[in-house]
Amino acid sequence: MTRALIRTRRALLLGAAASLAMALSAAPQASAQLPQIVLPGLTIGFIQPPAPGAVPAIDPASPEYRAQLEGATNAARAAHGLAPLTANAGLTDVAIGWSGTQAAQNRMYHNPTVAGQIPGGWAHYGENVLQNYAHATPQQLVDQWMASPGHRLNMLHPGHTAMGVGVAVAADGKLYATQVFARY
């Protein structure tokens, strides 16, 4: 990369950061949506941390939260003319386990052994992971995945027939969510 290109990218990034700071200072404090900066080859998204003492309406690790996450995922698929995915207990176990691993390590990353953990008989699979905060709703998680081209492709893959979802919260309130998709 040339020095001129590096200086240009740095200037763009600094300008975008200044614009973001101005937007945040003028934004209402109750807003749950923060801006996203998009530059060629670089996307910076901001997730608002919870207010002090904020508690989620539903425990993110609960079956009810997972059911809502499955419903929001299938609603996104339906909005694009795709069939709903069947919840699969084996895929759910993989997703719950991986979310727990991420929360325990307090870092987001893809499961390097997911293919070997998915119950047999699948033709292909996909995985989505994300980090947010414990106050995030299942719909906000789906919206976050839908805003990312690669994650969106996994959610809207027409060949997938089953899914499992899992969510875990780290000690600092960061939420780690995983979707595992497969075709059976």
Side-chain angles (χ1 to χ4, degrees):
M1 194 178 291
T2 68
R3 287 181 190 237
L5 182 57
I6 291 171
R7 282 192 299 271
T8 301
R9 288 185 93 175
R10 186 177 300 144
L12 286 170
L13 185 56
L14 290 174
S19 296
L20 174 64
M22 289 176 21
L24 289 177
S25 66
Q29 293 301 314
S31 173
Q33 296 291 338
L34 291 177
Q36 186 178 57
I37 298 172
V38 180
L39 301 171
L42 175 67
T43 300
I44 303 172
F46 297 90
I47 301 169
Q48 184 167 337
V55 294
I58 302 172
D59 176 10
S62 71
E64 181 181 359
Y65 192 96
R66 285 193 310 272
Q68 289 184 15
L69 184 53
E70 291 164 355
T73 299
N74 277 328
R77 288 177 60 85
H80 290 85
L82 296 169
L85 300 173
T86 302
N88 177 290
L91 297 177
T92 297
D93 289 345
V94 173
I96 290 170
W98 189 247
S99 291
T101 296
Q102 292 177 95
Q105 296 178 11
N106 209 356
R107 72 181 185 112
M108 181 188 72
Y109 62 109
H110 284 280
N111 183 343
T113 61
V114 68
Q117 295 174 14
I118 296 173
W122 53 270
H124 62 82
Y125 71 95
E127 177 191 55
N128 285 344
V129 296
L130 66 71
Q131 185 268 308
N132 202 304
Y133 288 93
H135 69 287
T137 67
Q139 185 61 56
Q140 288 171 323
L141 302 185
V142 169
D143 292 344
Q144 188 176 339
W145 275 314
M146 288 293 285
S148 167
H151 296 104
R152 179 185 177 98
L153 286 172
N154 274 341
M155 283 182 41
L156 300 180
H157 193 295
H160 290 149
T161 59
M163 77 170 142
V165 299
V167 180
V169 178
D172 66 356
K174 289 180 183 169
L175 175 150
Y176 294 88
T178 306
Q179 292 174 311
V180 180
F181 305 102
R183 176 181 183 85
Y184 283 99

